[in-house]
Amino acid sequence: MALLDELSGYEFEDLMEDVFRRLGYQNVRQSGKSADEGRDILMEEVVDGEPRAVVVECKHTDTVSRPVVQKLHSAVATYDFDGPKRGMVVTTGRFTDPAREYAESLGTRTEGGIELLDGTDLREIGEAIGMDLYNGRIEILCAEALEPTHPTEGRTAPLLETVGEVDNLEPDAISDPETALALEPTVTVSARTSATFETSVGVIHTLDERNDLVVHADRDGPRVASRALQRLVASPSASRVDLESADLEAEFDALERERFDRTETEYREWAVDKLRAIHTTTVHYTGKNNVDYERTCTPNRSDVLVQAIDPVYVPHVRSTLPLGEYEYAYDYYAAGPSRATTRNDLQACVHCDAAGGDRTYTYCANCGSINCDSHVRTERLEGEPVCTGCAVTERFALKTKYFYDEQNLEAFRAEYHEMAIHEKAMENRALAIGAGVVLVLVAVLFVLILLGGVLAVL
């Protein structure tokens, strides 16, 4: 087993020397650890009875671009060999489109061109010669991602839609938020589990299930994705983009592309164990002697057939929106117009634990806070929402009033001073109504007393 990620560039050349010998190439040797002029390994092959030189450049990198292929082409041309010769570039990563196009323009391997072997090719070669070449880049090379933006409205559409759900906050009034994109690796493992469990009384349990497991494939280890993310990835309408052609760096303020942490083989084995656990069940049955039994039925590894492994990057969009004194995050997994929200600060009160879309939230333009109903009031002077956190308060007619600032408070003091007594009383409507009711009752009682006196005289 060769853990290629742990090898240095020189160790990778040593490994490839052994690989080429197993493939049947002759006179395989390294050109030297320095001043190789683009020639890492030199070897020969016999074609139609005639020896031909093969000049190899080894690149233990994520990507190989056109200049590497051009350099090797020159190295092949200047290599001193009495006979036909060709080149080969071997990488643990992948080749850019310009590199492949340039290699194709040089002709086929039989015409003396440059052969390109990427990580996927190395995996297939390793299987053919009985060598396990394990490497994240070799085992899983993925150039596709789910569509990270709305197809017609761009990257800000989901955030603006969420902003529109907050009272007193207009989408047109906010500035363009900072939006970063993380391409997170996932694999969808499609498998079928079929098993039959028997005892002396016959078949007690059968199983024939097809499952599609959407699995996070990052450095935190494989784990089944949430139901929302599984629906997003598995949706037939979830369009994909080619990462080679998509200009995501121009679309987003920051871009991060994580690597697949394990090999396809490791994800396959993990999925088999996971499905065996999922389909394990305890069965109760009655034996021939009328005694009740129970048996735990766990499928064998051979009962789980992995039919396909589909890798794809899932866009995790993270937007940061500054509003006044606060900063809000809105994060979601994207698939074109569809999304699965992972964080939504716009649906949470800054003053308490209230959160979730089943409540009403109101924006306070005075400080930029978003508040639940318990922490928002009406500003007395201007009649607009103000939160309890930033409001200046004072009691008028025994009732607390809320103001944006000391200036508004002072302005209302002057206004209150000029009010008639009944107007002041109405600043505490409940108290005013209560006082009115008391006065009416007193008046009624007074009348009754008077009537009682008159009746006594008569």
Side-chain angles (χ1 to χ4, degrees), residues 354-367:
D358 57 342
R359 296 179 173 89
T360 299
Y361 297 92
T362 304
Y363 174 64
C364 172
N366 193 50
C367 67

Side-chain angles (χ1 to χ4, degrees), residues 148-190:
T149 59
H150 192 286
T152 59
E153 300 179 23
R155 74 176 194 181
T156 59
L159 176 63
L160 293 179
E161 179 181 329
T162 304
V163 166
E165 298 173 355
V166 180
D167 288 352
N168 200 45
L169 181 59
E170 295 297 328
D172 294 340
I174 69 171
S175 58
D176 190 24
E178 289 286 325
T179 305
L181 173 64
L183 296 175
E184 298 184 3
T186 67
V187 292
T188 300
V189 182
S190 299

Side-chain angles (χ1 to χ4, degrees), residues 10 74 84 130 139 213 222 252 257 283 287 333 385 394 403 415 441:
Y10 290 146
S74 299
E139 286 292 322
L213 292 181
F252 294 90
R257 180 175 174 178
V283 176
Y333 287 114
E394 189 167 308
F403 303 91
E415 183 179 315
L441 292 175

Side-chain angles (χ1 to χ4, degrees), residues 51-52 56 60 114 161 196 231 292 320 326 347 399 436 440:
R52 178 171 60 182
V56 183
H60 188 23
I114 304 295
E161 179 181 329
T196 300
R231 287 194 295 268
D292 292 332
T320 302
Y326 297 87
Q347 293 288 324
K399 185 174 179 61
V440 170

Side-chain angles (χ1 to χ4, degrees), residues 100-131:
R100 291 189 179 279
E101 292 169 1
Y102 182 79
E104 291 174 0
S105 71
L106 299 176
T108 65
R109 55 186 292 183
T110 58
E111 297 170 338
I114 304 295
E115 181 181 9
L116 304 182
L117 297 179
D118 62 13
T120 300
D121 297 321
L122 288 184
R123 181 187 62 190
E124 295 173 355
I125 289 171
E127 292 175 352
I129 63 177
M131 293 182 68

Side-chain angles (χ1 to χ4, degrees), residues 331-370:
D331 305 343
Y332 58 91
Y333 287 114
S338 303
R339 64 184 184 272
T341 303
T342 57
R343 178 176 176 178
N344 185 3
D345 292 349
L346 297 168
Q347 293 288 324
C349 179
V350 301
H351 301 295
C352 67
D353 295 332
D358 57 342
R359 296 179 173 89
T360 299
Y361 297 92
T362 304
Y363 174 64
C364 172
N366 193 50
C367 67
S369 64
I370 291 177

